[in-house]
Amino acid sequence: QVQLVESGGGLVRAGGSLRLSCAASGRTDFNFPMGWFRRSPGKEREFVAVINWNRSGGIFYADSVKGRFTISRDNAKNTVFLQMDKLKPEDTAVYYCSADPQGDYTLPSAYEYWGQGTQVTVSS
């Protein structure tokens, strides 16, 4: 079992930055992929980014955030991060951390473990 807790959300102006963190616990290792998803009001939960246990093993981003968001991880601290730069009002959403996908990592259904989410609001 894995427990995930997100933090770092808040209110920011368009063009600003936020750094989200997701702390994992419940396992003796951190050797599994981690993903970020988001859900805007009235919308489906959508893929944002994913990172493999080995940073050289693969990092992928949704086209909507590519070039603005950066996913990273610190395996020694069991933590994954999402650095969000040049934020737009369209980025306003609840952001969710997820772990250990099986199959298509862009699908929420592929992930077994989820955090409760952290709100990101970008004002224009």
Side-chain angles (χ1 to χ4, degrees):
Q1 298 294 319
V2 176
Q3 293 79 49
L4 305 174
V5 180
E6 303 98 334
S7 62
L11 175 64
V12 66
R13 296 172 182 172
S17 299
L18 285 173
R19 190 191 194 201
L20 306 183
S21 298
C22 174
S25 62
R27 282 179 60 167
T28 59
D29 60 60
F30 199 46
N31 297 329
F32 46 80
M34 299 286 293
W36 286 98
F37 287 75
R38 66 187 183 185
R39 177 182 286 170
S40 299
K43 304 295 183 181
E44 300 289 334
R45 189 171 300 192
E46 66 173 334
F47 170 74
V48 174
V50 66
I51 185 170
N52 210 342
W53 69 271
N54 185 333
R55 289 170 294 173
S56 66
I59 296 175
F60 303 97
Y61 299 94
D63 288 342
S64 59
V65 307
K66 191 176 298 182
R68 299 188 298 119
F69 290 11
T70 303
I71 189 171
S72 62
R73 65 193 296 161
D74 185 340
N75 289 342
K77 297 181 178 179
N78 289 2
T79 303
V80 65
F81 305 95
L82 186 68
Q83 177 67 43
M84 305 184 295
D85 298 319
K86 300 179 180 179
L87 283 161
K88 305 175 181 179
E90 303 95 288
D91 297 318
T92 296
V94 177
Y95 283 72
Y96 299 90
C97 177
S98 56
D100 202 11
Q102 303 296 316
D104 188 348
Y105 56 80
T106 68
L107 299 178
S109 60
Y111 293 80
E112 183 174 4
Y113 306 107
W114 292 87
Q116 294 191 140
T118 185
Q119 177 70 49
V120 172
T121 302
V122 184
S123 62
S124 59

